[in-house]
Amino acid sequence: MRRERTTGVLMMLGSGLSTQIGASVAALAFPVLGPAGVVAIRQWVAALVLLAVGRPRLRTITARQWRPVIGLAVVFAVMNLSLYTAIDRVGLGLAVTLEFLGPLAVALLGSRRVLDLLCAVAAAPAVVLLARPQPSTDYVGIALGLLAATCWACYILLNRTVGRELPGATGSAAAAALSGLAYVPVGVVVLLHHPPTLGAASYALAAGVLSSAVPFLVDLLTLRRVPAQFFGVFMSVNPVLAALVGLVVLDQRLGILDWAAILVIVAANAVAVAFGGPRAAGAAGAVEAVEAVRVAEPGDAVDHSPVPVRPCDVVHGAPDRTVTPAFGKVAADGEPETSRATQ
């Protein structure tokens, strides 16, 4: 068991680093393709991955079910574009930290516990500190980071509806496909006006793989090895990983006060997940107790009945969900129940 936990920790660290390295590699393509061009390529990669893994039966989706899916697709599109534009303007560490305020806000607003109030009291001044007026402050970049946070909060709430309405990963995959289609004209226009160099195209494609495909697949395996709550807590370190990767890869340096503010926000999010109830924990880390439909094998009888699921995080390319290592349910005491689900 201890070996499984150690392996899971290493996999989560690798997934987080892959996500942030992918974002930093994407930034290297910004001078040629711009954030919109890079996001277009990443959306296409994310759509292909989710369609391949989720295998949604799009013809079975009704008009009523398409409405929240379309809303989710819009959120996907705006969230990724606002995040990448924010990264271009204010740097990777600050942009990712601001984005993480979305799930934290959902958790805190949906809870009445004193502990969550204390988390909010701690996080609020840290946010003000990050956005404090300075000669070099880019308020547009900060606003875009906060827009990404708002989109992530909407993403959590919309997926609750989508998860109730559609089976398996159908809703998330369909939304990712729609978002990818919406970026086709954007990508065409960008690529026509800004012909990509081989290097820029390689960076954008690598960003899609590193930030979408790799974390998604790695996290599918990780969630079989570590408890759901632990996975949610570990997610909270992503802003720190982003700041470190931004420093090493992009030479984006943060001041001592900025580092302190990031650590406070990370701590607030981790506390909200680690000690929160099911509702607070699920929102704070964008993770929630789920059941998933396993990928069918030849000869299997496939059950297409609705299964409540948490979405895949198309921002980071990883499934942000409180699931057990076997993709099963989380019992009332927080311990995983067994499941026959497999990747």
Side-chain angles (χ1 to χ4, degrees), residues 7-44:
T7 302
V9 169
L10 292 176
M11 293 176 72
M12 287 188 293
L13 180 61
S15 175
L17 286 174
S18 178
T19 298
Q20 305 310 332
I21 290 174
S24 67
V25 169
L28 297 176
F30 288 167
V32 177
L33 299 176
V38 177
V39 169
I41 294 175
R42 178 173 169 180
Q43 291 296 100
W44 299 336

Side-chain angles (χ1 to χ4, degrees), residues 12-28 30 42 83-84 87 91-97 99-100 152 203 206-212 214-215 219 234-250 252 266 313 315-318 320:
M12 287 188 293
L13 180 61
S15 175
L17 286 174
S18 178
T19 298
Q20 305 310 332
I21 290 174
S24 67
V25 169
L28 297 176
F30 288 167
R42 178 173 169 180
L83 174 64
Y84 271 42
I87 290 173
L92 183 61
L94 178 54
V96 172
T97 303
E99 182 203 25
F100 260 71
W152 196 355
Y203 287 144
V209 173
L210 290 172
S211 293
S212 294
V214 171
D219 286 348
F234 196 90
M235 271 192 61
S236 302
V237 306
N238 269 278
V240 175
L241 294 178
L244 290 173
V245 170
L247 174 63
V248 174
V249 179
L250 303 175
Q252 296 175 346
V266 165
D313 179 2
V315 185
H316 302 103
D320 291 342

Side-chain angles (χ1 to χ4, degrees), residues 65-108:
Q65 292 170 331
W66 271 115
R67 285 195 287 271
V69 169
I70 292 172
L72 191 60
V74 172
V75 168
F76 281 163
V78 177
M79 180 167 56
N80 288 332
L81 181 58
S82 57
L83 174 64
Y84 271 42
T85 308
I87 290 173
D88 188 36
R89 300 181 70 101
V90 301
L92 183 61
L94 178 54
V96 172
T97 303
L98 291 173
E99 182 203 25
F100 260 71
L101 295 175
L104 178 59
V106 172
L108 299 181

Side-chain angles (χ1 to χ4, degrees), residues 123-133:
V127 176
V128 173
L129 183 61
L130 282 176
R132 67 190 184 280

Side-chain angles (χ1 to χ4, degrees), residues 150-220:
T150 302
C151 287
W152 196 355
C154 294
Y155 159 88
I156 294 169
L157 300 175
L158 271 172
N159 264 287
R160 291 177 178 172
T161 302
V162 172
R164 287 192 300 265
E165 294 287 337
L166 293 165
T170 296
S172 294
L178 285 179
S179 182
L181 287 175
Y183 269 97
V184 168
V186 175
V188 170
V189 171
V190 170
L191 296 179
L192 287 177
H193 286 77
H194 304 280
T197 62
L198 179 60
S202 299
Y203 287 144
L205 184 59
V209 173
L210 290 172
S211 293
S212 294
V214 171
F216 181 81
L217 296 175
V218 170
D219 286 348
L220 289 180

Side-chain angles (χ1 to χ4, degrees), residues 12 55-56 65 70 171 231 234 254 331 335 337:
M12 287 188 293
R55 300 182 186 180
Q65 292 170 331
I70 292 172
F231 181 83
F234 196 90
L254 297 173
E335 292 298 317
E337 297 176 354

